[in-house]
Amino acid sequence: MDQAHPPSARIPSGTATRTAKTQTSALNAWKRHHARCLKDGLWHLVRRPLSAWATIFAIAIVLALPGFLMTLAAQIKHIGGAWASEQGQVNVYIKTGTDETHVNGFTQWLKSQPNVRSTDVIPPEQGLKDLARRLNIDSLDSDIANPLPTVVVLKLKNPTDQASLTLREEIRNNPLVENLSDSGAWVKRLQTISQFFDQLSWWLMFLFGFTVVSVIGNTLRLELQKRREELALIALIGGTRRYMIRPLLYDGAIMGLLGGLVASGLIYTLLTMLTAPINQFAAEYGTQITVITPMMLTALLGMIGLSLGWLSAQLIGQNFLRHAVSA
């Protein structure tokens, strides 16, 4: 007689198939609902363009100020780097009457420093000829002794790092050196200004983020009031809060994303308008500045706007469903 299998060992033939079909159906329904929410969110921009785009432009204006400060900090850093590479040289003025042997020894010491890229010695006679050429004078020779000192022109590898600052102090304290002039102080000031604007922009972004949440929240609260009866009906037939709040999340995320992208467009327009004055200012100091718009800023503002829109929709939606639909 055949031994019967125990009940626990028997697996219904259609259970696995039904489970798989149920999971597939639920996943397809979830995908369809997300697609419909996205479509409805984009359709709202066409159906109610005035209110939707008014909110988007309000978000853009709020995000544009800290975004512009971020761009300004990047531009100042770029200017400092260009100035350091193009104008970042150190002119060392040797005391008048210094023996040539001491000057050569000092020059050899400078060449041995690891942060020195090149040295160029301009003797007093050469300096006098250069001065005559700049003044369009044939000759400045006279019975008066040449008052110009020997000048050693240094090119540093990294004009703004700590090693260069230390080397400048050593040169300045050398008994052979009368004076020292370079653009390192200006580059350092530019870097300090850049750090200030960078930190200020992040603080403003943090503070203005609350404004963006409030702006989007007001718009979404009006939308929820219009859908109050619909949401109550969905709650009665067993709809989850996640299902009810999903369209709102898409609305908030879309408005926030578009607000961030419009803010980057405003910043780009403002920079384009300021290109000519900035280059005119730079030309007066003998340099050329290329005004750039960081492409990462567009992605950053878009992601910040999207995140703030999603957060606003989450807060407003959960609060509304808790007090209105559950009541």
Side-chain angles (χ1 to χ4, degrees):
M1 185 174 182
D2 294 338
Q3 184 178 1
H5 293 286
S8 59
R10 297 193 186 98
I11 301 176
S13 58
T15 301
T17 303
R18 287 195 300 270
T19 303
K21 288 183 178 179
T22 301
Q23 292 176 348
T24 302
S25 177
L27 180 60
N28 290 335
W30 180 81
K31 291 180 179 178
R32 286 194 302 269
H33 191 238
H34 273 277
R36 190 176 66 188
C37 291
L38 176 59
K39 182 180 178 180
D40 291 344
L42 295 175
W43 178 245
H44 287 166
L45 301 178
V46 180
R47 190 173 58 186
R48 292 191 296 274
L50 185 60
S51 61
W53 284 101
T55 302
I56 290 171
F57 276 104
I59 297 169
I61 293 172
V62 171
L63 293 179
L65 178 57
F68 179 75
L69 290 178
M70 287 182 185
T71 307
L72 184 61
Q75 297 299 329
I76 293 175
K77 190 178 298 184
H78 173 71
I79 292 171
W83 201 348
S85 60
E86 297 176 5
Q87 307 291 336
Q89 69 179 24
V90 180
N91 297 330
V92 182
Y93 299 93
I94 307 299
K95 290 182 178 179
T96 305
T98 302
D99 187 78
E100 185 176 353
T101 304
H102 292 90
V103 174
N104 292 335
F106 177 69
T107 305
Q108 291 300 321
W109 174 77
L110 290 176
K111 290 181 179 179
S112 65
Q113 300 303 309
N115 206 32
V116 175
R117 184 172 58 192
S118 64
T119 59
D120 185 19
V121 179
I122 303 177
E125 297 78 12
Q126 182 63 39
L128 193 63
K129 292 179 181 179
D130 293 341
L131 180 61
R133 185 174 63 254
R134 292 179 183 178
L135 297 176
N136 294 322
I137 299 176
D138 294 337
S139 177
L140 287 177
D141 295 335
S142 64
D143 296 333
I144 303 176
N146 188 350
L148 298 180
T150 299
V151 181
V152 181
V153 180
L154 298 181
K155 295 287 187 179
L156 302 178
K157 297 178 180 178
N158 299 299
T160 59
D161 64 359
Q162 186 59 40
S164 296
L165 297 178
T166 303
L167 179 61
R168 288 187 180 95
E169 289 300 319
E170 292 180 4
I171 295 174
R172 187 175 285 107
N173 295 329
N174 192 294
L176 300 178
V177 176
E178 180 70 29
N179 197 6
L180 182 71
S181 67
D182 66 315
S183 60
W186 281 102
V187 173
K188 189 174 181 181
R189 291 190 187 100
L190 286 176
Q191 290 179 338
T192 303
I193 295 173
S194 173
Q195 292 175 359
F196 168 75
F197 279 116
D198 201 15
Q199 294 178 5
L200 178 62
S201 63
W202 281 110
W203 276 108
L204 288 178
M205 184 69 74
F206 176 76
L207 294 176
F208 286 178
F210 291 102
T211 305
V212 173
V213 170
S214 300
V215 170
I216 297 178
N218 266 344
T219 304
L220 297 180
R221 188 179 291 108
L222 296 176
E223 181 68 22
L224 285 172
Q225 291 293 341
K226 297 177 182 178
R227 299 179 53 202
R228 188 185 188 99
E229 294 182 358
E230 176 189 346
L231 294 174
L233 180 60
I234 294 175
L236 286 176
I237 62 177
T240 62
R241 285 191 176 184
R242 186 181 303 174
Y243 180 88
M244 289 186 286
I245 204 177
R246 189 171 293 149
L248 198 70
L249 295 177
Y250 272 91
D251 288 345
I254 290 172
M255 286 191 293
L257 175 62
L258 291 178
L261 296 180
V262 173
S264 66
L266 293 177
I267 295 171
Y268 178 79
T269 302
L270 184 58
L271 283 177
T272 303
M273 295 172 60
L274 293 177
T275 299
I278 291 176
N279 281 327
Q280 183 178 0
F281 170 78
E284 296 180 358
Y285 290 88
T287 186
Q288 178 70 25
I289 298 171
T290 302
V291 178
I292 58 174
T293 303
M295 297 305 296
M296 289 298 295
L297 181 65
T298 301
L300 176 63
L301 290 178
M303 291 303 299
I304 290 176
L306 187 149
S307 301
L308 292 175
W310 182 90
L311 176 63
S312 177
Q314 187 73 249
L315 295 175
I316 295 298
Q318 292 291 352
N319 181 70
F320 182 85
L321 293 177
R322 184 169 55 250
H323 291 87
V325 176
S326 300

